[in-house]
Amino acid sequence: MHRPTATPWLPALALLGSITALCIGTSFAKRLFPLVGAEGTSALRVGFSALVLLALWRPWRWPLSRRDAGHVIRYGLTLGVMNLLFYMALRTIPFGIAVAIEFSGPLAVAMLASRRAVDAVWLALAVAGLVMLLPLAADAALDRTGVLLALGAAVCWALYILFGKRAGHLHAGHAVSLGLVAASVVVVPVGVAHAGMALLDPRVLLAGLGVAVVSSALPMSLEMMALKRLPSETFGIMVSLEPAVASLLALIVLGERLAPSQWLAIGFIVAASVGSTVTARPSRPPGADALG
């Protein structure tokens, strides 16, 4: 058991680097959509991430009971579906908005675990943010299919957290590397069926490897370092900034401009996540950041 470090700047910078790398990698991944589609891009990311982390952690070194294998498989399959739905959502809605909608999954897990009055405030903020983003009006700017896919990814993220907790006693590298293998079983066949031989283009393969390293292997490694050394409250607050970071980097990398009301909605969701973290009970573990 690692104690939070007395000088948390290094792990805090590592976590910020993890969030930034994840968002930059996903922003650049969107540029592969015209070549291999969202499904093909997701297959490259998850497939290469599994290979990289298998080589890094060599999970066959650790024993795995049948019960734990079941937990890891469910965790990995959920992770795969979540990534596939999230990338498909990115085809038609901005990256920052997709992340904000997806964030409703872990927020729901955190709030359902508590019965305190203060959580009603964070719930109200999160619901207000979602209502502002969802295409409820007939002339809504956001694509409904994209929003539904992002909501599906949010449900998967919630399940990913629940299944991940059941495998939480395993070494992080052990669980994540095997989980990504299970995720590949879902994502790679869908990507191959959609993109076919285009996935074998050397330029596409090289770009896919870069996306996998920048948006998966690197942030996961940095996050694990930060998680061991930061207080859970600090970790949760910084992770809560991800929708805002994603929106800013999507503006810089992809030129995706959001309306003031959409920035406000994202702010509500970030505030709800930060508030839920700050007022959480000390025993509450921080939610792990996913590949989405």
Side-chain angles (χ1 to χ4, degrees), residues 41 95 98 108 117 146 238 249 273:
T41 304
F95 176 34
M238 292 190 69
L249 289 175
S273 186

Side-chain angles (χ1 to χ4, degrees), residues 109-162:
V109 171
M111 292 180 185
L112 287 174
S114 176
R115 297 292 184 271
R116 296 168 305 150
V118 69
D119 287 318
V121 177
W122 315 132
L123 178 61
L125 274 176
V127 170
L130 282 174
V131 168
M132 293 173 68
L133 291 176
L134 297 182
L136 302 177
D139 59 345
L142 287 182
D143 175 71
R144 286 178 171 77
T145 300
V147 169
L148 287 175
L149 288 167
L151 286 172
V155 173
C156 288
W157 195 351
L159 293 174
Y160 161 88
I161 291 172
L162 297 177

Side-chain angles (χ1 to χ4, degrees), residues 21-290:
L22 173 66
C23 293
I24 289 176
T26 305
S27 295
F28 278 106
K30 197 168 180 177
R31 294 186 171 184
L32 288 175
F33 285 10
L35 300 177
V36 293
E39 298 90 341
T41 304
S42 183
L44 288 170
R45 180 192 182 187
V46 173
F48 275 127
S49 296
L51 291 176
V52 169
L53 290 180
L54 280 175
L56 178 64
W57 291 110
R58 292 172 292 166
W60 52 84
R61 296 177 299 163
W62 292 290
L64 188 69
S65 69
R66 179 173 296 185
R67 179 183 178 87
D68 287 340
H71 293 327
V72 170
I73 288 172
R74 285 189 288 272
Y75 158 84
L77 294 178
T78 306
L79 175 63
V81 175
M82 178 183 72
N83 278 269
L84 186 58
L85 292 176
F86 182 77
Y87 268 46
M88 291 173 68
L90 292 182
R91 295 178 302 185
T92 55
I93 63 176
F95 176 34
I97 291 178
V99 172
I101 293 173
E102 190 189 32
F103 238 71
S104 62
L107 264 176
V109 171
M111 292 180 185
L112 287 174
S114 176
R115 297 292 184 271
R116 296 168 305 150
V118 69
D119 287 318
V121 177
W122 315 132
L123 178 61
L125 274 176
V127 170
L130 282 174
V131 168
M132 293 173 68
L133 291 176
L134 297 182
L136 302 177
D139 59 345
L142 287 182
D143 175 71
R144 286 178 171 77
T145 300
V147 169
L148 287 175
L149 288 167
L151 286 172
V155 173
C156 288
W157 195 351
L159 293 174
Y160 161 88
I161 291 172
L162 297 177
F163 292 146
K165 286 181 179 179
R166 295 177 184 175
H169 60 284
L170 300 175
H171 185 279
H174 190 195
V176 171
S177 55
L178 290 181
L180 277 168
V181 172
S184 300
V185 174
V186 175
V187 179
V188 172
V190 175
V192 170
H194 177 81
M197 296 300 293
L199 288 172
L200 298 180
D201 185 306
R203 294 170 299 176
V204 171
L205 287 173
L206 184 60
L209 177 60
V211 166
V213 171
V214 175
S215 64
S216 297
L218 178 60
M220 279 184 156
S221 300
L222 290 172
E223 182 185 287
M224 285 198 308
M225 186 190 91
L227 184 57
K228 292 177 180 179
R229 294 169 174 82
L230 283 177
S232 60
E233 294 81 4
T234 304
F235 184 91
I237 290 169
M238 292 190 69
V239 169
S240 299
L241 300 176
E242 187 177 327
V245 174
S247 301
L248 181 59
L249 289 175
L251 173 64
I252 296 171
V253 177
L254 300 172
E256 292 182 348
R257 299 182 180 276
L258 303 182
S261 62
Q262 292 172 329
W263 279 107
L264 181 61
I266 290 172
F268 282 170
I269 292 172
V270 169
S273 186
V274 170
S276 177
T277 300
V278 169
T279 60
R281 292 185 177 89
S283 60
R284 177 189 160 199
D289 189 25

